[in-house]
Amino acid sequence: PTHAVLRDPAGRLVWEAEFDGETTAEIANPVLWNAEKPALYDLQLDIAGEEIHQDVGFRTIAISGKQELLINGVAVKLKGVNHHDSTPDKGWVMSRADLEHDLVLMKSLNMNTVRTSHYPPSPEFLQLCDRLGFYVILETDLETHGFCTRYPGQWAYDVEDPIWPTSDPAWRGSFLDRMIRAVERDKNHASVIMWS
């Protein structure tokens, strides 16, 4: 069996259970997570002698009748950048410290959103976004569309052209597999509000 304990952001026990397989919990009046106040609960799972901790954030996402993005019922304006995993010294390899440096710099510049261009980020990146307070638009690694500059003088994607894998039904299973894996891995991060 699995033993689970959930503690609120102040460290108070709010839920505990022992179960086999899956379980659900209803948390009354949770402290809600957002980019300004990234309130996180600590979920501790004890499974077969191993102790695992997972950050848990509660929040709602909706679109208002006026087409506003609502986080926890409050209209939010996204201000952010695309993030590419690269450094001047190490190229495409970023340590946790490098990732944190980028996010702290973005926060100091009043950014609240980051899009993971053009692939799912390392799990550490999302953990930092949960903790520091960033809305994340998570992108799956599907960069296989046409190119704007394929035909000189034309600035439009020719995505319907069957030369591209995105227009070839033979690639459907591979695309779906890659998308499903990204969603399943990262769906429990409070910071992830959209999928690209």
Side-chain angles (χ1 to χ4, degrees):
T2 300
H3 182 248
V5 173
L6 185 67
R7 297 187 187 283
D8 71 12
R12 294 180 297 254
L13 177 68
V14 295
W15 176 77
E16 188 171 11
E18 193 158 308
F19 56 92
D20 288 311
E22 295 181 8
T23 191
T24 59
E26 202 166 305
I27 308 303
N29 303 312
V31 179
L32 298 178
W33 182 98
N34 64 42
E36 291 74 32
K37 294 181 182 174
L40 291 170
Y41 286 65
D42 176 48
L43 176 63
Q44 177 184 330
L45 300 170
D46 294 304
I47 307 167
E50 183 178 7
E51 184 177 297
I52 300 168
H53 288 265
Q54 175 69 45
D55 290 333
V56 175
F58 296 96
R59 49 119 179 93
T60 62
I61 300 173
I63 303 295
S64 77
K66 297 189 291 185
Q67 304 304 309
E68 300 164 306
L69 173 65
L70 304 177
I71 305 291
N72 304 325
V74 177
V76 171
K77 183 177 273 193
L78 302 180
K79 296 176 272 182
V81 294
N82 293 328
H83 187 267
H84 296 274
D85 290 347
S86 62
T87 67
D89 303 332
K90 296 179 268 179
W92 295 330
V93 178
M94 293 189 79
S95 67
R96 181 182 180 90
D98 294 329
L99 294 169
E100 188 168 7
H101 175 266
D102 281 2
L103 291 169
V104 168
L105 179 61
M106 285 186 253
K107 203 68 162 170
S108 75
L109 297 169
N110 295 318
M111 294 182 194
N112 66 359
T113 307
V114 61
R115 174 176 165 253
T116 64
S117 318
H118 296 282
Y119 37 82
S122 74
E124 289 179 321
F125 183 79
L126 292 178
Q127 184 183 55
L128 288 166
C129 288
D130 288 344
R131 292 178 180 178
L132 295 172
F134 281 92
Y135 301 118
V136 175
I137 301 168
L138 197 140
E139 190 165 70
T140 304
D141 185 9
L142 293 175
E143 287 295 304
T144 56
H145 51 65
F147 298 95
C148 286
T149 57
R150 182 170 177 221
Y151 300 112
Q154 293 182 8
W155 293 98
Y157 290 110
D158 56 343
V159 292
E160 289 79 24
D161 190 323
I163 195 170
W164 306 113
T166 50
S167 301
D168 185 344
W171 284 88
R172 178 180 166 81
S174 296
F175 286 171
L176 286 173
D177 178 62
R178 190 167 277 195
M179 286 184 261
I180 290 167
R181 282 186 291 132
V183 170
E184 287 300 318
R185 188 193 80 167
D186 298 330
K187 66 185 178 185
N188 291 320
H189 284 279
S191 57
V192 178
I193 61 164
M194 277 187 240
W195 305 87
S196 169

